[in-house]
Amino acid sequence: MDSSFKHFYRKSYHDRLSVVGEYATLNDDAKTLIKEHVNQTDAKLIENYLTDYSLPEGVGVNLMVNGVEHAVPMVTEEPSVIAAVSNGARMLSKNGIDATVISRELIGQVVLHNPQPELLDWINERHGELIALADSAHPSIHSYGGGATDIEIRQLDVDDYSLDLSVNVSEAMGANIINSMLEKIGAAINQQSPGVVLMQILSNYATKSLVRVVGKIDFSQLGAPGMTGREVAVRIGLASHIAQIDPYRATTHNKGIMNGIDAVTIAMGNDWRAIESGIHAYAAKDGHYRGLSHWKVVDQQLVGEMTVPMPVGFVGGATSVFPLVKINQSIAKVKNARELMQLIAATGLAQNLAALKAIVTDGIQKGHMALQLNSLAISAGAAPDEVAEVVKKLRKIKNVGIDDARSVINQIRKSS
Ligand code: MEV
């Protein structure tokens, strides 16, 4: 293939931009915008760097976790997410959210294809040695209170087995730590039985890195126009049930939870794809995809509970690369990975509560509309100082769309 992208990664920034510009017929304004957002540090982080793509960061408020009030840095493009989480957190704030880290270890796999029974015996007789070998890939890990803790062999099918290594990665996210440990173990096994190791890689199904959150809301916090707090609570309980029995609803229910979880995870410099994949797998842990949270009426309260895998790190990786992450850790008042696990899960629960309350009462459009109009105005081309006026006019239009926003902007510009 004779492509203009041949050896793209070897080109200078200037040449890369002109290749992309020509290929996509970008005009000068587009190229200027791309260049204006170049960050020289980020240019060293990834291959074929073009520009920085930024997302808004805001602060979710009112979140009480284990008796401490947290302001939660959140990175999201969805206009209503931060308003919703602050609203959910306010409803939960009287009693606060109780959060508990159940476990905090990563799991990694050495997958074995067609191992002889003798090899499996050899491994089983050497758990201690293999754990020590794993630790030797990261000799400093003990000084941080971490290290490999366990080895288990799981049969996957007739021919395939997984050696599961559990590792306490201390404050790190730990992907590099565990992968280098697994490669050490894999090499030792391959030496014993050449070719038997198919792969060695961490698992994002972090079933040993679980956090549980529980929130209780008095009915008095839950009333809505035309509905008592008890009625709203009962309807939220029913919505929670539907998310247990219907994957179509469960997916949307969990998307609402991930609105909160992803936004904090990104602000905290963690790998949100890892968190997403682990959480969705956990939602299907009994073979049926279900809602992650459970809400029910107990006495005079609505009680919500959620347990999710949350293998986030507090140090290293992107947390050390992006200066904003350290600032976000300070804003959030989290001091270590466990507190971060708790905060993120609590944010997900508050987000879920706000979404459920909205959809079983007024519907989300009413509350969303004011914020969506800002987004509509910006999409239609309003400059930052025009947005407020455009939105004011759009509020008066029924079933408002992008064409209305464009014509309002034109009117305003003509009359100024
Ligand atoms: C929208 O981003 C999220 C919701 O759809 C979640 C839900 O339906 O539970 C409102």
Side-chain angles (χ1 to χ4, degrees):
M1 191 172 86
D2 191 18
S3 158
S4 50
F5 287 91
K6 194 163 178 205
H7 300 316
F8 190 66
Y9 70 97
R10 288 193 200 152
K11 293 189 195 301
S12 66
Y13 179 78
H14 177 269
D15 291 350
R16 277 204 300 265
L17 183 55
S18 46
V19 169
V20 171
E22 235 166 80
Y23 167 81
T25 51
L26 297 181
N27 63 24
D28 286 347
D29 285 352
K31 286 193 232 166
T32 304
L33 189 70
I34 287 174
K35 281 192 277 188
E36 273 171 9
H37 289 87
V38 165
N39 173 308
Q40 294 304 340
T41 310
D42 294 349
K44 301 274 179 294
L45 269 185
I46 60 167
E47 188 99 309
N48 298 347
Y49 178 83
L50 198 60
T51 190
D52 266 24
Y53 178 111
S54 70
L55 288 172
E57 174 177 327
V59 178
V61 294
N62 308 324
L63 198 74
M64 290 292 293
V65 185
N66 295 341
V68 177
E69 183 179 1
H70 293 272
V72 193
M74 300 174 78
V75 173
T76 180
E77 87 302 343
E78 190 170 330
S80 55
V81 161
I82 295 181
V85 82
S86 304
N87 182 24
R90 186 187 44 73
M91 289 186 265
L92 284 154
S93 63
K94 185 164 168 244
N95 301 310
I97 296 175
D98 291 328
T100 319
V101 172
I102 298 170
S103 50
R104 185 172 157 76
E105 284 187 351
L106 282 192
I107 300 168
Q109 299 184 272
V110 181
V111 176
L112 309 173
H113 181 61
N114 260 335
Q116 294 302 308
E118 301 76 45
L119 179 69
L120 298 175
D121 291 343
W122 182 88
I123 294 172
N124 280 326
E125 284 155 15
R126 281 169 185 77
H127 281 192
E129 267 170 59
L130 292 171
I131 285 174
L133 182 68
D135 284 348
S136 73
H138 261 273
S140 60
I141 190 123
H142 287 297
S143 61
Y144 300 115
T149 59
D150 194 23
I151 282 179
E152 268 174 69
I153 301 273
R154 260 182 321 121
Q155 184 164 9
L156 308 179
D157 63 15
V158 181
D159 301 322
D160 299 300
Y161 289 76
S162 174
L163 178 158
D164 295 342
L165 176 74
S166 301
V167 181
N168 173 351
V169 290
S170 186
E171 290 298 307
M173 204 203 91
N176 289 330
I177 297 175
I178 196 165
N179 285 336
S180 37
M181 288 180 166
L182 292 166
E183 288 185 8
K184 277 247 172 185
I185 293 181
I189 293 175
N190 253 341
Q191 225 175 22
Q192 196 62 26
S193 181
V196 76
V197 173
L198 180 66
M199 57 186 161
Q200 52 252 299
I201 189 77
L202 98 164
S203 170
N204 291 120
Y205 190 32
T207 54
K208 288 190 175 177
S209 202
L210 297 177
V211 58
R212 178 168 191 263
V213 281
V214 179
K216 296 179 180 160
I217 309 115
D218 301 345
F219 292 158
S220 58
Q221 305 290 309
L222 280 170
M227 259 184 237
T228 65
R230 169 177 277 280
E231 282 165 344
V232 173
V234 168
R235 290 173 73 79
I236 290 176
L238 285 171
S240 171
H241 170 66
I242 301 299
Q244 292 304 309
I245 58 173
D246 176 26
Y248 284 87
R249 178 55 210 154
T251 307
T252 320
H253 179 102
N254 291 346
K255 190 275 183 184
I257 294 170
M258 299 314 292
N259 276 344
I261 288 182
D262 281 349
V264 195
T265 305
I266 296 170
M268 296 298 178
N270 271 263
D271 178 348
W272 69 95
R273 287 85 57 210
I275 301 300
E276 279 270 353
S277 59
I279 288 184
H280 290 298
Y282 196 74
K285 63 182 182 311
D286 65 3
H288 186 110
Y289 188 88
R290 297 182 196 281
L292 293 157
S293 63
H294 302 85
W295 294 92
K296 60 179 183 222
V297 170
V298 181
D299 301 327
Q300 295 302 305
Q301 290 181 319
L302 174 69
V303 179
E305 181 275 337
M306 178 171 76
T307 299
V308 280
M310 191 59 69
V312 285
F314 198 70
V315 299
T319 70
S320 314
V321 170
F322 300 116
L324 258 182
V325 174
K326 291 282 168 257
I327 296 170
N328 288 343
Q329 291 174 345
S330 305
I331 295 172
K333 288 200 177 149
V334 284
K335 296 181 291 303
N336 53 50
R338 285 171 178 261
E339 287 184 6
L340 183 56
M341 292 169 76
Q342 294 174 164
L343 181 77
I344 297 176
T347 307
L349 191 72
Q351 195 83 53
N352 182 226
L353 172 65
L356 294 182
K357 183 177 176 206
I359 60 176
V360 301
T361 57
D362 283 342
I364 55 164
Q365 286 309 88
K366 193 172 160 205
H368 274 199
M369 232 32 215
L371 291 156
Q372 300 289 0
L373 290 180
N374 284 352
S375 162
L376 191 67
I378 296 164
S379 312
D385 60 349
E386 294 172 321
V387 172
E389 200 183 342
V390 175
V391 168
K392 199 168 153 199
K393 292 194 186 308
L394 291 179
R395 268 202 205 108
K396 296 184 186 137
I397 302 173
K398 253 196 166 173
N399 299 326
V400 60
I402 189 94
D403 289 339
D404 301 305
R406 287 198 185 109
S407 78
V408 166
I409 293 168
N410 283 338
Q411 281 165 26
I412 290 172
R413 287 182 184 165
K414 269 190 205 143
S415 65
S416 65

